[in-house]
Amino acid sequence: MQTERRIAKCAVLAALVLLGGACTKIDAVRSDGKQTQEAVMAAASAAEVSTTAETTTTTVTTTVTTTTAAGICQPFIDENANIDPSKPMVALTFDDGPGQYTNSILDTLEAYQAHASFFVVGQNINDETSAVMQRAVGLGCEIGSHTENHADLVKADANTFQQEIQQADDRILQAIGRYPYFLRPPYGDFNDDVRRHVGKPLAFWSVDTKDWKTRNTASTVSATLNNIEDGDVVLMHDIYGETAAAVAQIVPSLVQQGYQLVTLSELTYYRGVEMENGMIVFNMHPANPNYKLPPDPDVPEPQVTPAPETETTTETVAAAGQ
């Protein structure tokens, strides 16, 4: 049932994308089969009516009939990986790439048939790093969004917010042929407004290696192996050589301990949690998973008299460097 609901959601999303929509619009579509069918039929009817606009008609028809559109916004799950839901699993995640050390990390993952999730910054994607991303996906890894320019979404105005998400989505789609399913907000900074409008589940973590701060291989290894437990989400960064060296020790050690190294999508899926736009996942501990449901929908803002500018202060607490 979960798979059918995801496919139905993404099929409607594909029609919206080519009609000027984006992945952020998926939360406007309910997941029951009846409404999905009605939405697709409505798009098809619109294509028939638009006989005078040849280009538009062709685009809509392609969207409705394509056999690959339903997969462009699905979770990153390798169904051939023989993941056992009853056995321990953890998700290694990497931010801020793709970078010069990403391939080294992929070498280690490939050697142990392990998966990981990479939250990429859109501006880092080019022909060379696109090839690295394609290799990652080919190995069963996940590509998530870390925005276009590593922007603090809480502080962004409406236009910047939209551009940071959409531009990164477009670059990722061009690089690997599918949209990112999760977004990790830069600096770990978020609020309910971000959650309502981001159009994706949000990826957080339960083990912070602080590799961005220490730049020390031994410290990163210790922070991971001394704190790991079933269902954890580990935060690292694939732009540091010290981290790549740490991964070369972390991965074989975790495998030897019996952990399955999975994508974040696989972790939530095999722990029986269906993610929704605006949800936050911290970990999937078997006995006490830590995730948050989406916030309440938008409500009208109360009419208040703004305080004088000199008396207005704003303070945002963020996890620097994430």
Side-chain angles (χ1 to χ4, degrees), residues 75-95:
F76 285 68
I77 298 171
D78 184 354
E79 296 182 354
N80 297 318
N82 296 319
I83 296 171
D84 187 343
S86 67
K87 294 183 179 179
M89 61 183 75
V90 295
L92 302 182
T93 68
F94 300 89
D95 288 2

Side-chain angles (χ1 to χ4, degrees), residues 16-59:
L16 288 171
V17 169
L18 293 183
L19 285 170
C23 225
T24 56
K25 301 297 185 181
I26 194 171
D27 56 358
V29 182
R30 294 182 60 85
S31 60
D32 56 281
K34 181 178 179 181
Q35 186 166 347
T36 300
Q37 183 179 8
E38 292 172 354
V40 174
M41 292 303 294
S45 297
E48 294 176 0
V49 172
S50 303
T51 56
T52 59
E54 183 178 350
T55 300
T56 302
T57 300
T58 301
T59 301

Side-chain angles (χ1 to χ4, degrees), residues 110-127:
E110 183 176 18
Y112 292 91
Q113 298 182 326
H115 297 170
S117 297
F118 294 85
F119 294 93
V120 303
V121 177
Q123 66 178 359
N124 291 341
I125 300 175
N126 52 42
D127 289 344

Side-chain angles (χ1 to χ4, degrees), residues 95-107:
D95 288 2
D96 293 353
Q100 62 178 314
Y101 302 107
T102 307
N103 253 331
S104 177
I105 291 172
L106 292 176
D107 289 341

Side-chain angles (χ1 to χ4, degrees), residues 29-267:
V29 182
R30 294 182 60 85
S31 60
D32 56 281
K34 181 178 179 181
Q35 186 166 347
T36 300
Q37 183 179 8
E38 292 172 354
V40 174
M41 292 303 294
S45 297
E48 294 176 0
V49 172
S50 303
T51 56
T52 59
E54 183 178 350
T55 300
T56 302
T57 300
T58 301
T59 301
V60 173
T61 301
T62 301
T63 302
V64 173
T65 60
T66 180
T67 58
T68 59
I72 65 174
C73 195
Q74 288 183 313
F76 285 68
I77 298 171
D78 184 354
E79 296 182 354
N80 297 318
N82 296 319
I83 296 171
D84 187 343
S86 67
K87 294 183 179 179
M89 61 183 75
V90 295
L92 302 182
T93 68
F94 300 89
D95 288 2
D96 293 353
Q100 62 178 314
Y101 302 107
T102 307
N103 253 331
S104 177
I105 291 172
L106 292 176
D107 289 341
T108 300
L109 295 173
E110 183 176 18
Y112 292 91
Q113 298 182 326
H115 297 170
S117 297
F118 294 85
F119 294 93
V120 303
V121 177
Q123 66 178 359
N124 291 341
I125 300 175
N126 52 42
D127 289 344
E128 181 178 355
T129 57
S130 290
V132 175
M133 293 165 62
Q134 292 164 15
R135 180 191 179 197
V137 174
L139 295 175
C141 294
E142 176 164 21
I143 302 297
S145 174
H146 204 38
T147 73
E148 174 68 11
N149 299 291
H150 203 275
D152 189 329
L153 296 178
V154 171
K155 298 177 181 178
D157 59 45
N159 288 336
T160 301
F161 184 102
Q162 181 179 9
Q163 291 173 2
E164 285 293 325
I165 296 173
Q166 189 60 53
Q167 289 177 4
D169 280 1
D170 291 343
R171 288 181 188 268
I172 293 170
L173 176 64
Q174 184 175 9
I176 64 172
R178 60 193 297 185
Y179 285 114
Y181 185 69
F182 279 98
L183 180 141
R184 174 167 281 161
Y187 311 103
D189 202 6
F190 74 97
N191 57 21
D192 280 354
D193 195 49
V194 169
R195 295 176 66 197
R196 290 188 185 102
H197 298 101
V198 72
K200 293 176 177 60
L202 296 179
F204 278 75
W205 56 88
S206 51
V207 176
D208 186 353
T209 64
K210 298 188 184 301
D211 61 335
W212 61 271
K213 183 176 183 179
T214 65
R215 310 285 180 89
N216 182 276
T217 296
S219 176
T220 300
V221 172
S222 175
T224 303
L225 299 182
N226 291 343
N227 296 286
I228 202 75
E229 62 179 291
D230 186 7
D232 269 328
V233 179
V234 182
L235 173 63
M236 290 182 278
H237 298 75
D238 53 325
I239 58 174
Y240 305 123
E242 295 87 351
T243 297
V247 170
Q249 299 179 47
I250 291 169
V251 168
S253 178
L254 292 177
V255 170
Q256 185 176 19
Q257 293 177 53
Y259 285 104
Q260 300 171 100
L261 304 185
V262 299
T263 66
L264 187 56
S265 287
E266 290 167 338
L267 182 63

